[in-house]
Amino acid sequence: MPGGTTSAQSEELAPMPPKMASVRFTVTPTKMDDLGGISDTSPDLSSSSRVRFSSRESVRDASRSEAYSESSLATTAVDPTSERTSNSMDSGEDRSQTSVTEENSKLLEIDRRKNSSLYQNHSEEGEESYDRNLALFEEEMDTRPKVSSLLNRLANYTNLPQGAKEHEEESEGKKKPSKSTRMGTIMGVYLPCLQNIFGVILFLRLPWVVGTAGVVHSFFIVFSCCCCTMLTAISMSAIATNGVVPAGGSYFMISRALGPEFGGAVGLCFYLGTTFATAMYILGAIEIFLVYITPEAVIFEGQGAAEESAAMLNNMRVYGSGFLLIMSVIVFVGVRYVNKLASLFLTCVILSILAIYTGALKSAFAPPEFPVCMLGNRTLSSLRISACAKTVEKDNMTYTTDLWNLFCHPPGQLNASCDEYFMHNNVTEIQGIPGLTSGIISENVWSNYIQKGEFIEKASLKSEEELGSLSHDYVLADITTSFTLLVGIFFPSVTGIMAGSNRSGDLKDAQKSIPIGTILAILTTSLVYLSNVILFGACIDGVVLRDKFGDAVKGTLVVGALSWPSPWVIVIGSFFSTCGAGLQSLTGAPRLLQAIAKDGIIPFLRVFGHGKSNGEPTWALLLTAVIAELGILIASLDLVAPILSMFFLMCYLFVNLACGLQTLLRSPNWRPRFHYYHWTLSFLGMVLCVALMFISSWYYAIISMVIAGMIYKYIEYHGAEKEWGDGIRGLSLSAARFALLRLEEGPPHTKNWRPQLLVLVKLDSDLHVSQPRLLSFASQLKAGKGLTIVGSVLVGDYLENYGEAAAAEQALKQLMEQERVKGFCQVVVAQKQREGLSHLIQSCGLGGMRHNTVIMGWPSGWRQSEDSRSWKTFITTVRVTTAARQALLVAKNISLFPGSREPLAEGHIDVWWVVHDGGMLMLLPFLLKQHKVWRKCRMRIFTVAQMEDNSIQMKKDLATFLYHLRMPAEVEVVEMHDSDISAYTYERTLMMEQRSQMLRQMRLSKTDREREAQLVKDRNSILRLTSVGSDEDDDTEAAPNKVHMTWTKDKHQSARVIQNKPMPSFQELLSMRPDQSNVRRMHTAVKLNEVIVNKSHDAKLVLLNMPGPPRNSQGDENYMEFLEVLTEGLERVLLVRGGGTEVITIYS
């Protein structure tokens, strides 16, 4: 039973009869970390061990029966089906969960103690009975589950439901089986998308767009916007059908496809767009309420066009704030009320659209009576006009009308002084809605963009060109119109295509319903919009279409004037549908913010991840209401709509980018069920989104991109690190591969050469770096540029120490993060440290991205140490670096070097240029001065002149060389006169050689003792004379003992002769004379040290040529002594050894 037993089954097994042959309980937890098909929100099925209870004994006495009963209870506690209820409610949290809770683990521990004798007696028989057919894979069952167990998990996997309360119940293990029926394509995707797409723009602004832009331009605007959403829907369908998508909408899809940085940036943009949509819908509802339903409800009134406009804005602000408060309370009290009213709002939308089509068809044979009064070719407002005439005849008397009184003073007199335009032009009355067959479409084909304050005119009517007064009794343009403005205003009417993907948790088959339902909804709405463009242009006169608020038709909604049976169908329907859309936006925006906050990718938003006890996002709702209030304070639907367009276009842009990127990269996990997509369509959608953004408002587009870019950089530098298998990681891999192949084409030019560092550090027993300032110095030298690899060696066997190596890498990564070292780390496990260092120097990097410079610390305390491995390892590393033709930097007194947060005061960086090694000594101070720690230091260059050199000319040449190198530095030439070797030098050399000889004797004596013991142990077959895995085999001078070989008798005799050779006595050590070559080298070291200390004793850093190691390894210890003498008395020293290539040039 790999799936475990239930509690009911255990109750049946407990009272089994005594003849039962065996009782076996098995729990096989599985790990599913490597399953790509399960998203982040799927239950975590990891476990650390396999728990097995088995017995083949008969169950006879009561105590044994009780033991089995207890074991069955323990098995029930870790039943896999109960494990599914312990997954977290947070779909974005990357917490590590285990399938066995703490309480159950304690229960298992108690049970193991009680039944320890049971396991001891029967464990062997249990092993034989466990998975006989899979015994070959038995030891891997905890990390590699059986197929049956895996399929059982997948079959019982369900998406996360939408409600936060269910998430909490699930995380607490209280989730009950859901009884709600899953929705299909029509109810789950198609109708919600229709409700979200159709909105306030259709009823309030589409006729005005048609009248202003003309049928052709309007058709192009609507068609472009619909194409943008259709291409985005195709890309979204591909992403939504590429695996199981929990409820999360566009944010989940983008963040998991493009990574947390893009996901967070676009998620916040989508959140802001949804929030401003709330403000837009509320402003639309208030406009319908104050202009078309109850105009007398206005609070502020004004005289004149300008004052009336300002008063209306204040009315919008006051009523909009009140509406927002009421909607926020409704959402706070309970979302279920909003969901229950959704069907009512959708019904209002559908009825309103049907009323428009019915009215358009009816107008073909019975157009409605909506007369429009015209003065010349100018449209008059009918709000204060009872009769469309200058005078009226009544009882053979001529009387003035309201229109006369508006343009003439004093009113009521026929001989009054009238407006010039009024006197020279006639008053006519035209039909506002001539009907479908009237041919009015010929006048509405082309655009009629006008400036703010201009008259709404009918071009086909005659007019005397008299200026006249700019009276508010005309219908005037309230804003300056243009093609770009109309694009920004109309685009929000095609948004809402994400409604289906947001409900993916409630769908029967989301991978089938989302593409079909979304694309059908877009086709339906596109057909409605495009047909309405034609109908409005064919049925309604242009002056009425351009009359935004219906002043020419007595304040009637233009769309309502066309509809049948009554304009109130459209007015009431559009009001309720707009309120419903505002409630939906105010409900969805806080949940989107809560999802982003719970993902933890933006630290300062984490407070908005909390809410009420039932999971409602209270704090997120509060922030959403505050931001929506900012939109309401703008108080203009035409100004809020372009802002809304920017954020939605940004979201759609990245949906297309995600699909196109995944398609081009051909990721193994990119296998959408929706096959009707192509990367060209995705990139066409991207181009269209960018074009619409800049067409509608280039400054809003730039601002929205800057906001998204700032959020991206914030998440990149301060946000939580997430690994979601996103496409950006695949893009980075492809780009890195391409760049590496380009780098392989040849070595870098001297102008492009920069130190690519391999920093060799040593770890102590606690995996702490013994010299952390090496990393600080590397960070200062690189300043975030180029390649940095931090390497270390662990001594041992990799099969035994691979876990320690992984822990060491994590420790190095943490230290690199603290020191702000941007690079990589690599830990090698080797039998000997010097071998591991050699492997690092040879193999670190990849292709053209390989290190060319090695940084290491000086082995301080090498004289006092009895173990010679430290300095021998150091010299071996120097030799390996030289053989690899790489530069070497050795930092002495590294603990005295400044940290990355400790800027130095003014001082000098002294360069002692003794021999030319490619220019490393010149380049390093320049690179260090780029960092803030060394920025205030000045550079000084010293060079050494011999007696035969012209020091004056050398100084001039060096100054000229530095001038061409564009490096400001002080130049000084130091003359070293020939002098006799001092007694101090002679004595120092003698002491060095005596010490070396004594230490060599001590090491050889120790080796002899070990060798004799080994010979006694292996007298029959001498295969190896020294201990395996020790560095002492490299410290002896007997060359044959270093090799694994079969010894012949002659070779063994010769080795014995070497070993029996008498060692020098103590008296001989006292009377020995130093080697003359060592005396000369010591003399050079002493003289150079005197000069350097004299000139650079107060320098912040001294850079010095590092002499190469001796070709004969017999002088290694003397070499260390020479370097010690050379650098004595200096605080911070950097020994530099070039790699043999030129690294600096005077040419551009």
Side-chain angles (χ1 to χ4, degrees), residues 268-284:
L268 277 184
C269 287
F270 191 56
Y271 162 73
L272 292 174
T274 308
T275 304
F276 275 100
T278 303
M280 185 188 74
Y281 289 128
I282 291 177
L283 290 175

Side-chain angles (χ1 to χ4, degrees), residues 831-1064:
Q831 294 291 344
K832 302 172 188 176
Q833 188 176 23
R834 67 188 66 173
E835 291 180 359
L837 293 174
S838 177
H839 294 161
L840 283 175
I841 293 172
Q842 294 178 61
S843 61
C844 271
L846 178 65
M849 284 295 288
R850 289 178 50 81
H851 63 279
N852 54 28
T853 305
V854 177
I855 295 184
M856 60 189 304
W858 176 261
S860 57
W862 65 273
R863 286 172 172 168
Q864 293 77 22
S865 176
E866 296 182 0
D867 191 358
S868 63
R869 283 180 291 183
S870 61
W871 60 266
K872 287 206 169 190
T873 300
F874 172 80
I875 296 178
T876 302
T877 306
V878 174
R879 288 196 173 101
V880 172
T881 305
T882 305
R885 297 183 61 80
Q886 296 176 2
L888 176 65
L889 308 180
V890 178
K892 191 177 180 186
N893 300 328
I894 186 63
S895 60
L896 301 179
F897 277 56
S900 297
R901 299 173 180 85
E902 303 171 4
L904 295 174
E906 293 184 359
H908 294 94
I909 299 177
D910 288 354
V911 176
W912 283 85
W913 192 16
V914 181
V915 295
H916 180 61
D917 57 356
M920 280 286 290
L921 283 171
M922 307 291 185
L923 184 61
L924 293 176
F926 172 77
L927 295 176
L928 283 174
K929 281 172 61 64
Q930 309 303 311
H931 197 274
K932 63 181 180 181
V933 172
W934 305 92
R935 189 166 296 155
K936 295 182 179 180
C937 296
R938 296 189 301 273
M939 182 175 167
R940 294 191 302 189
I941 297 182
F942 299 90
T943 188
V944 177
Q946 302 301 322
M947 287 298 296
E948 64 273 11
D949 297 327
N950 186 344
S951 59
I952 299 177
Q953 187 62 37
M954 283 183 63
K955 184 173 182 179
K956 290 181 180 179
D957 295 342
L958 181 56
T960 303
F961 180 60
L962 290 175
Y963 174 79
H964 288 301
L965 288 177
R966 292 91 62 199
M967 290 184 179
E970 301 176 18
V971 176
E972 186 172 345
V973 178
V974 178
E975 296 181 351
M976 292 188 65
H977 301 285
D978 289 338
S979 61
D980 295 333
I981 297 175
S982 64
Y984 171 76
T985 303
Y986 190 87
E987 186 69 23
R988 188 78 182 258
T989 309
L990 181 60
M991 291 174 59
M992 175 188 71
E993 293 190 356
Q994 288 176 347
R995 179 179 179 277
S996 299
Q997 191 65 27
M998 291 176 62
L999 290 176
R1000 188 178 296 112
Q1001 288 185 25
M1002 293 171 60
R1003 286 195 298 271
L1004 289 176
S1005 300
K1006 179 181 178 183
T1007 308
D1008 286 340
R1009 292 194 299 270
E1010 293 178 354
R1011 184 181 292 110
E1012 291 298 334
Q1014 189 71 19
L1015 286 171
V1016 171
K1017 184 177 179 180
D1018 302 328
R1019 67 169 62 96
N1020 295 327
S1021 58
I1022 305 176
L1023 298 178
R1024 184 181 175 97
L1025 299 181
T1026 55
S1027 58
V1028 178
S1030 171
D1031 267 357
E1032 293 299 327
D1033 56 350
D1034 292 331
D1035 297 341
T1036 63
E1037 296 180 359
N1041 294 340
K1042 297 181 181 179
V1043 185
H1044 297 254
M1045 60 183 294
T1046 303
W1047 280 51
T1048 62
K1049 184 176 181 181
D1050 294 339
K1051 291 180 179 178
H1052 183 59
Q1053 290 294 337
S1054 62
R1056 296 290 295 180
V1057 170
I1058 294 174
Q1059 295 165 11
N1060 294 332
K1061 184 178 180 179
M1063 296 297 176

Side-chain angles (χ1 to χ4, degrees), residues 555-673:
T556 305
L557 184 63
V558 176
V559 180
L562 178 64
S563 63
W564 183 88
S566 169
W568 287 101
V569 175
I570 298 293
V571 172
I572 301 300
S574 60
F575 176 76
F576 281 110
S577 66
T578 305
C579 291
L583 280 173
Q584 293 287 348
S585 299
L586 192 60
T587 303
R591 279 158 178 75
L592 178 59
L593 181 62
Q594 186 182 45
I596 298 173
K598 285 188 175 182
D599 262 354
I601 59 177
I602 304 178
F604 71 85
L605 289 181
R606 287 175 182 166
V607 65
F608 299 106
H610 307 290
K612 295 193 297 186
S613 58
N614 62 348
E616 293 297 321
T618 308
W619 293 107
L621 176 61
L622 179 62
L623 179 64
T624 303
V626 171
I627 298 176
E629 177 64 21
L630 297 178
I632 289 174
L633 292 178
I634 297 174
S636 173
L637 182 66
D638 302 323
L639 295 179
V640 174
I643 301 175
L644 176 65
S645 300
M646 289 303 111
F647 291 123
F648 277 115
L649 281 168
M650 183 75 71
C651 178
Y652 296 165
L653 167 68
F654 283 100
V655 170
N656 286 297
L657 175 62
C659 179
L661 195 62
Q662 296 276 28
T663 306
L664 285 179
L665 293 177
R666 298 180 180 179
S667 173
N669 193 49
W670 180 247
R671 302 183 299 272
R673 290 186 179 275

Side-chain angles (χ1 to χ4, degrees), residues 34-55:
D34 299 332
L35 295 180
I38 304 298
S39 63
D40 297 72
T41 55
S42 59
D44 193 336
L45 307 173
S46 59
S47 179
S48 59
S49 61
R50 186 169 63 252
V51 185
R52 186 184 302 124
F53 304 93
S54 62
S55 174

Side-chain angles (χ1 to χ4, degrees), residues 385-416:
I385 300 176
S386 58
C388 185
K390 294 182 180 181
T391 60
V392 294
E393 297 289 337
K394 186 176 181 182
D395 300 331
N396 296 324
M397 297 289 293
T398 302
Y399 297 95
T400 61
T401 61
D402 296 334
L403 182 60
W404 180 280
N405 296 333
L406 291 175
F407 286 91
C408 299
H409 297 282
Q413 298 181 11
L414 293 174
N415 58 353

Side-chain angles (χ1 to χ4, degrees), residues 1111-1123:
R1111 293 185 177 90
N1112 185 4
S1113 60
Q1114 298 296 329
D1116 285 355
E1117 193 168 4
N1118 298 338
Y1119 173 69
M1120 297 292 294
E1121 189 69 30
F1122 294 146
L1123 294 182

Side-chain angles (χ1 to χ4, degrees), residues 58-105:
S58 300
V59 185
R60 298 184 183 276
D61 55 359
S63 62
R64 183 67 63 87
S65 176
E66 182 182 356
Y68 279 109
S69 177
E70 289 174 354
S71 63
S72 65
L73 290 174
T75 307
T76 306
V78 293
D79 181 43
T81 58
S82 66
E83 290 170 18
R84 283 187 215 103
T85 65
S86 64
N87 60 318
S88 172
M89 76 174 181
D90 182 12
S91 63
E93 287 287 333
D94 286 340
R95 298 199 237 348
S96 175
Q97 306 171 6
T98 56
S99 55
V100 183
T101 62
E102 280 186 76
E103 294 79 4
N104 293 339
S105 300

